Amino acid sequence: MSDHNSNTMNLTLQVWRQKGPNAPGKLETYEAKHVSPDMSFLEMLDEVNETLIKKGVDPIAFDHDCREGICGMCSQVVNGVPHGGQDRTTVCQLHMRSFKDGDTIFIEPWRARAFPVIKDLAVDRSALDTIIQAGGYVSCHTGGVADGNAILIPKPEADYAMDAAECIGCGACVAGCPNGSAMLFTSAKVAQLAVLPQGKAEAATRVNAMTEALKECGFGNCTNHYECQASCPKGINVKFIAKLNREYLKAIAN
Amino acid sequence: MQILKSAVGRKVLMAITGQSMVLFAVVHMLGNSSIFVGPDGINAYAKHLHDLGALVWLFRAGLFALAAIHIFYAIQLTLENSAANPAGYAVKKQIKATFASSTMIWTGVVIMAFIVYHLLHFTARLTPGVVQGVDALGRFDVFTMVVSAFKNFGTSAIYVIAMAALFLHLSHGIQSFFQTMGWNTDKTQCTISAIGKAVAFILLAGYVVIPLSILASALIK
Ligand code: HEM
Ligand code: SF4
Ligand code: FES
């Protein structure tokens, strides 16, 4: 990149560096020079890492995969907001045009007891898999592909289930939650399956098993701050948490 | 029992006990307003209540149980929640969480301390300087007791501060009850939240108007 592009900016980064799960971590300061506004946030970090490698410094470790907002791997708290705070945007889809020359940017990992740091900005989110394994599925024989319209589902239910299924399992809801709770993530799966005919049969065991796993994994309890919805890059609504609570009470009543 | 260990079950218990105490708080506030009728109003009201005899103690036991369950799980859940989120961020913005939602345990502690004081003050009447007498009809004179107590600025201030804490607690708590019970959707969220804050405010106003009006008239006289 060259200096003659007057649009580029120089930024100061405060990045959380931590060698391993049990090592102490701290914020380190780095300069990001000549950053193009068209870069994505992760491309900006790639560039910073190039300069670090040339200097013989360990590059900043961070998770990413698709870089198009669908896989849920990227996970950074940018300036105090998971994914950086742009509406319905993962950090890989956040662009540097949201920043301006001279800005200082704080970059930290998801923080929750259930998400131990692996290195720097990468955390272990397998606890979310544990919750899904506890009940986030439908038990059925998997034969050939069933006819698409063999089970008819009314449009409102289908839409509701699709809205819940939008969750990409990134864990931003946990990172944003003052209680380190994964209730939004859990509720999205509980609600999605509870509303569909295929999922209804196991609704009661599912909600019990998944909320139990949530606790076992060391996530906190929901106190309805609604910070999760505000952090979610997919706009998952807290109405699904109310739905989970409803399913839980139904499970008790039955 | 599974409910007593569940992340959701214990919240439901807190929600039901909390909301039951809200109902009590509404009735108590309405009862208090009989003071504006004068000595005849509140003294008669108090006598009716005390004439219920054993029922009064049953009611007190019920309220005590509600408070005990609510406080027990409040402490347990709050401890679990802070353990689940141990390492703070260097920078953290709160987008939807409010001052009220973040201070539930502390406004709760203020309310609890107040309840103890309030019971010692007007129920057990053990605090210094409580005026205890009977009115012309031989009833316990609640009116004089309350009016003389609230003429003291410090006493009134304690009540006003406690009611401010209750207001904060309920401005989050009432809508939280509906969410916890699953009686909420994205369409009702705004309305329920507004109604919760309105009820919290009515309680605040309904309670503090008594010490404030007594203080004001004491100042004018
Ligand atoms: C006496 C000491 C008290 C303490 C320590 C306390 C503490 C708490 C805590 C920590 C919460 C959880 C916050 C949340 O989950 O959103 C809560 C919720 C609540 N409190 Fe209290 N509280 C107390 C008294 C009261 C009183 C007197 C009332 C009613 C007049 C009340 C009504 C509520 C309600 C309605 C909720 C929301 C229930 C829910 O979780 O959905 N609390 N309280
Ligand atoms: S609910 Fe939203 S924030 Fe939470 S894991 Fe799913 S997509 Fe990520
Ligand atoms: S890298 Fe896949 S969602 Fe960001």
Side-chain angles (χ1 to χ4, degrees):
Chain A
M1 262 192 274
S2 51
D3 274 342
H4 63 250
N5 185 346
S6 57
N7 278 331
T8 67
M9 40 192 158
N10 295 329
L11 304 163
T12 306
L13 307 183
Q14 296 277 348
V15 186
W16 184 260
R17 301 303 310 263
Q18 183 172 341
K19 285 201 156 51
N22 299 315
K26 68 175 196 308
L27 287 171
E28 296 272 4
T29 310
Y30 301 104
E31 299 299 326
K33 294 214 179 299
H34 317 303
V35 174
S36 154
D38 297 330
M39 281 178 168
S40 76
F41 199 81
L42 301 190
E43 284 168 334
M44 180 276 294
L45 283 180
D46 291 338
E47 291 279 345
V48 170
N49 274 345
E50 291 293 333
T51 63
L52 291 182
I53 291 166
K54 278 182 200 140
K55 280 193 223 154
V57 179
D58 199 18
I60 301 159
F62 60 89
D63 269 329
H64 61 103
D65 189 16
C66 70
R67 297 206 176 193
E68 54 184 12
I70 57 172
C71 76
M73 270 311 276
C74 56
S75 45
Q76 295 171 26
V77 174
V78 178
N79 286 339
V81 186
H83 291 299
Q86 186 173 304
D87 193 36
R88 297 191 188 216
T89 308
T90 53
V91 71
C92 61
Q93 287 288 295
L94 183 66
H95 284 79
M96 296 314 293
R97 49 183 167 269
S98 335
F99 299 90
K100 57 181 198 305
D101 190 39
D103 275 358
T104 297
I105 307 176
F106 284 83
I107 312 174
E108 298 178 70
W110 283 179
R111 292 193 195 279
R113 180 177 56 177
F115 288 168
V117 170
I118 299 169
K119 189 178 181 198
D120 300 338
L121 304 173
V123 302
D124 180 355
R125 284 168 287 177
S126 49
L128 294 183
D129 299 335
T130 308
I131 293 177
I132 294 294
Q133 281 157 9
Y137 51 79
V138 172
S139 317
C140 63
H141 296 293
T142 50
V145 178
D147 240 0
N149 54 4
I151 303 175
L152 295 177
I153 297 164
K155 175 86 169 133
E157 273 83 353
D159 285 349
Y160 183 92
M162 285 301 278
D163 287 348
E166 243 193 291
C167 169
I168 55 176
C170 63
C173 43
V174 179
C177 177
N179 309 325
S181 177
M183 202 52 96
L184 189 64
F185 168 82
T186 309
S187 73
K189 194 53 72 191
V190 166
Q192 179 207 335
L193 297 179
V195 81
L196 295 174
Q198 296 94 328
K200 270 202 179 110
E202 289 168 297
T205 44
R206 176 180 307 114
V207 68
N208 283 333
M210 288 183 78
T211 50
E212 185 57 29
L214 170 133
K215 191 174 156 228
E216 290 302 311
C217 288
F219 292 105
N221 309 286
C222 176
T223 60
N224 305 325
H225 287 291
Y226 309 135
E227 203 60 25
C228 49
Q229 178 180 329
S231 311
C232 176
K234 296 292 151 183
I236 302 292
N237 196 286
V238 293
K239 73 177 177 194
F240 296 122
I241 298 183
K243 170 76 172 162
L244 177 146
N245 295 339
R246 249 184 339 266
E247 290 299 321
Y248 177 84
L249 289 167
K250 260 200 271 174
I252 291 180
N254 288 334
Chain B
M1 241 175 26
Q2 199 258 351
I3 301 178
L4 303 185
K5 297 206 187 90
S6 157
V8 187
R10 291 176 297 165
K11 281 284 306 176
V12 168
L13 287 175
M14 282 206 69
I16 294 173
T17 52
Q19 195 63 16
S20 309
M21 289 192 284
V22 172
L23 290 181
F24 165 76
V26 170
V27 174
H28 187 22
M29 180 197 76
L30 293 174
N32 288 354
S33 66
S34 64
I35 197 167
F36 291 109
V37 178
D40 250 354
I42 196 159
N43 291 1
Y45 171 69
K47 184 160 187 314
H48 280 308
L49 282 186
H50 285 273
D51 286 347
L52 293 174
L55 270 183
V56 174
W57 281 102
L58 204 68
F59 201 73
R60 283 173 176 168
L63 276 176
F64 181 82
L66 289 177
I69 294 170
H70 192 82
I71 294 168
F72 178 81
Y73 288 113
I75 295 171
Q76 194 183 63
L77 292 173
T78 304
L79 288 176
E80 281 179 23
N81 292 350
S82 43
N85 191 13
Y89 291 101
V91 180
K92 179 75 194 347
K93 287 205 189 85
Q94 295 209 322
I95 308 167
K96 281 284 266 278
T98 59
F99 178 73
S101 76
S102 323
T103 52
M104 287 301 273
I105 191 70
W106 302 116
T107 49
V109 165
V110 172
I111 297 166
M112 185 176 68
F114 168 75
I115 292 173
V116 172
Y117 169 76
H118 181 52
L119 290 177
L120 288 174
H121 188 197
F122 285 155
T123 306
R125 299 161 198 149
L126 293 174
T127 51
V130 189
V131 180
Q132 306 194 53
V134 286
D135 66 8
L137 294 177
R139 296 172 300 204
F140 182 78
D141 193 354
V142 179
F143 183 85
T144 309
M145 172 176 78
V146 172
V147 171
S148 60
F150 284 150
K151 277 184 184 157
N152 181 303
F153 180 81
T155 309
S156 280
I158 291 175
Y159 277 78
V160 170
I161 290 167
M163 290 308 107
L166 183 67
F167 167 74
L168 283 173
H169 201 79
L170 298 187
S171 69
H172 173 73
I174 294 175
Q175 63 78 33
S176 181
F177 164 82
F178 287 94
Q179 173 78 359
T180 301
M181 298 306 288
W183 301 339
N184 203 1
T185 68
D186 51 338
K187 292 189 190 73
T188 55
Q189 172 69 49
C190 239
T191 318
I192 287 181
S193 187
I195 292 174
K197 290 197 181 82
V199 171
F201 183 76
I202 291 169
L203 283 171
L204 170 70
Y207 279 116
V208 300
V209 67
I210 296 173
L212 292 186
S213 55
I214 290 169
L215 255 192
S217 59
L219 288 179
I220 294 164
K221 269 176 209 161

